[in-house]
Amino acid sequence: MSALPATTREVRLARRPAGLPRSSDFDVAEVPLPLPAAEEALVRTTYFRVTASLRMMIGEGAESVEGVPFPVLRPGDPVAGGALGEVVIAPEGSGLKPGDLVAHGAGWREYALVPAAELSPLDPATDPAVHLGHGWTAYAALTRAAGIRPGDTVYVTGATGAIGSVAALAARRLGAARVVGGTGSAAKTEALISGCGYDAVVTVGSGSLTDKLAAVAPGGLDVVLDTVGGDQLAAAVGAARTGARIVVIGALSGQLAPNGPGRSAPVSLDSFQLLLKKVTLRGYSADDHPEAEQEWLDLLDGATVPHHVVAGIERAPQALVDTIAGRYLGPVLVKPF
Ligand SMILES: NC(=O)c1ccc[n+]([C@@H]2O[C@H](COP(=O)([O-])OP(=O)(O)OC[C@H]3O[C@@H](n4cnc5c(N)ncnc54)[C@H](OP(=O)(O)O)[C@@H]3O)[C@@H](O)[C@H]2O)c1
């Protein structure tokens, strides 16, 4: 084992952002290297993920909203988030050994202490972006909640995000005939088509989104995988075909709203359309089907996925700002060393 440093760096929440976060809302602190207690492992971070959903953990008023499966962070707390790392020290009898690749939720720091019981070795040959991108959520939602069928026309909102950027691949491998993506960034249209497997892209903005969907999916939508909610969900209801299945897996329109804690995403839906077209509308969490992750890895069969890597832990706060501003495609990973 190479010599351990005496100190290590971690990103902390400096203050609660009043609206969308700015890089000045975070500090990079140098702290003594933590040493593991009896049941803990010390893990050296190789990558951690920066995700727009962090907004829900740090926004003003975050404490006041119940039922969201994310911890609330207070000023001074180290930031949390999905990470990959190498085991440096492992407890005797834990089944872990130095050098094992593991995943955990204590990202945004160079070294993390993690209960050994929560860790299991991962295949180091798998693309870090596949491990951290949560793309298997799209696979799980399509197979468990949408009941995707061969020949379906699928619409994915938030197509450039970590989940949306692999959803077309998942839908295609599950037999979809046509996959349409929605984005607020027209500049990413070509990348969504050539790099992510979308057949067509609609850009949110001026003009009726329902009309745009009707133009690229004239027969209507069979399946909608919605990571955004709000007006984009309302438009999808308008463009749905009879018997469509709409699965809400995210709420980026609320999470990234300029004001508030980012924990609600109100929308006005035409319930008459739901009735006439016998649409099924449901929310879904992939936490209910963790076994789907391995199925997704098997389906990917070693494929890599689009992603963006930022080098240096000190650049993580700006990477979050840029992720929320929609500057990237796919999961955004920070390589701290
Ligand atoms: N149900 C589950 O099991 C589950 C699991 C994990 C995550 N989630 C949820 O799934 C959603 C997507 O997660 P993700 O990791 O794919 O997101 P992400 O990669 O962190 O999202 C980044 C994207 O957000 C988009 N965006 C920025 N501002 C927006 C706005 N005001 N309205 C709509 N989109 C905006 C940008 O797209 P443009 O380029 O189009 O601007 C950007 O590419 C989140 O709500 C997350 O909490 C659900």
Side-chain angles (χ1 to χ4, degrees), residues 226-250:
D226 181 31
T227 69
V228 173
D231 293 344
Q232 297 192 47
L233 174 58
V237 169
R241 201 204 299 255
T242 297
R245 291 89 70 201
I246 301 180
V247 182
V248 174
I249 60 167

Side-chain angles (χ1 to χ4, degrees), residues 31-49:
V31 298
L33 183 75
L35 290 176
E39 303 301 320
E40 288 179 326
L42 178 67
V43 180
R44 183 180 190 270
T45 306
T46 48
Y47 292 95
F48 62 88
R49 185 168 156 223

Side-chain angles (χ1 to χ4, degrees), residues 178 213-220:
R178 186 164 178 76
L213 286 168
V216 295

Side-chain angles (χ1 to χ4, degrees), residues 23-322:
S23 56
S24 57
D25 297 322
F26 301 87
D27 283 331
V28 181
E30 181 138 2
V31 298
L33 183 75
L35 290 176
E39 303 301 320
E40 288 179 326
L42 178 67
V43 180
R44 183 180 190 270
T45 306
T46 48
Y47 292 95
F48 62 88
R49 185 168 156 223
V50 164
T51 165
S53 353
L54 181 69
R55 197 318 181 64
M56 292 189 297
M57 299 157 69
I58 62 176
E60 260 180 12
E63 291 95 339
S64 63
V65 186
E66 297 294 326
V68 178
F70 293 94
V72 172
L73 300 180
R74 294 175 179 79
D77 286 346
V79 180
L84 286 181
E86 291 168 0
V87 171
V88 180
I89 300 173
E92 199 77 24
S94 64
L96 298 167
K97 60 181 187 316
D100 279 348
L101 180 70
V102 291
H104 58 83
W108 293 73
R109 60 203 89 177
E110 292 175 328
Y111 285 84
L113 293 180
V114 188
E118 294 177 7
L119 301 173
S120 44
L122 300 172
D123 179 0
T126 304
D127 179 359
V130 170
H131 278 310
L132 285 179
H134 239 279
W136 66 278
T137 299
Y139 168 84
L142 289 169
T143 53
R144 269 68 174 180
I148 187 168
R149 299 171 197 140
D152 275 348
T153 294
V154 177
Y155 173 50
V156 180
T157 66
T160 68
I163 294 173
S165 61
V166 297
L169 178 62
R172 180 91 54 214
R173 291 198 177 183
L174 291 166
R178 186 164 178 76
V179 193
V180 174
T183 176
S185 311
K188 295 183 207 163
T189 298
E190 184 47 39
L192 283 170
I193 291 172
S194 60
C196 301
Y198 281 95
D199 294 296
V201 172
V202 290
T203 305
V204 179
S206 60
S208 157
L209 188 54
T210 303
D211 289 351
K212 291 179 192 177
L213 286 168
V216 295
L221 308 171
D222 297 296
V223 168
V224 178
L225 195 60
D226 181 31
T227 69
V228 173
D231 293 344
Q232 297 192 47
L233 174 58
V237 169
R241 201 204 299 255
T242 297
R245 291 89 70 201
I246 301 180
V247 182
V248 174
I249 60 167
L252 286 166
S253 63
Q255 289 165 315
L256 299 180
N259 301 308
R263 288 183 172 217
S264 82
V267 58
S268 169
L269 294 180
D270 185 344
S271 59
F272 200 50
Q273 288 290 312
L274 295 174
L275 170 63
L276 286 179
K277 296 192 278 196
K278 300 175 201 159
V279 170
T280 306
L281 171 64
R282 63 170 287 189
Y284 176 75
S285 168
D287 291 346
D288 291 345
H289 298 102
E291 76 287 354
E293 183 168 10
Q294 186 56 50
E295 289 175 27
W296 169 238
L297 293 176
D298 294 343
L299 191 68
L300 267 182
D301 197 21
T304 58
V305 298
H307 62 278
H308 185 86
V309 175
V310 173
I313 190 170
E314 67 286 352
R315 295 177 65 203
Q318 186 58 42
L320 174 67
V321 172
D322 291 340

